[in-house]
Amino acid sequence: YFKAAREICDETGALLMCDEVQVGMGRSGKMWGFENLNVEPDVFTIAKALGGGVPIGAMLCKSHCNVFGPGDHATTFGGNPLACAAGLAVTKAIDEDNLLENM
């Protein structure tokens, strides 16, 4: 299914977006759930696990579809200093403590 969706998006110029809120940040055994599908999205969203309990959300995208500049998009749980510090700490712990290798 996801391979076919990727091909359709490539053929039509549409963007493939994945919601990683439930499966991202190692919850699927890989850093991103889409890595289990052998498909690479153009855009994906993350939240929940990113903040380790602190509300935060983020959208990541490839450069060809990066249309937002600073201040273009508002979010309830976006870039406040506490949420960003939590997101960095969680990401650092996953990486430096090799958490994915211990799953």
Side-chain angles (χ1 to χ4, degrees):
Y1 173 83
F2 284 95
K3 183 179 178 188
R6 173 77 271 170
E7 290 172 359
I8 291 168
C9 288
D10 290 342
E11 291 168 4
T12 63
L15 299 178
L16 180 63
M17 298 180 72
C18 291
D19 181 349
E20 293 280 325
V21 170
Q22 298 294 334
V23 297
M25 302 297 294
R27 290 177 169 189
S28 68
K30 299 199 184 255
M31 186 62 167
W32 308 115
F34 65 79
E35 292 178 296
N36 294 294
L37 305 171
N38 296 317
V39 171
E40 195 170 303
D42 299 297
V43 179
F44 65 97
T45 58
I46 58 175
K48 297 188 183 213
L50 175 62
V54 175
I56 186 171
M59 184 231 22
L60 293 86
C61 67
K62 293 184 175 184
S63 61
H64 73 272
C65 54
N66 185 9
V67 298
F68 292 120
D72 285 351
H73 184 266
T75 174
T76 304
F77 300 120
N80 70 68
L82 174 64
C84 290
L88 287 171
V90 168
T91 304
K92 183 177 177 182
I94 290 171
D95 184 47
E96 292 181 2
D97 295 341
N98 299 313
L99 293 183
L100 295 179
E101 294 175 17
N102 294 314
M103 293 184 83

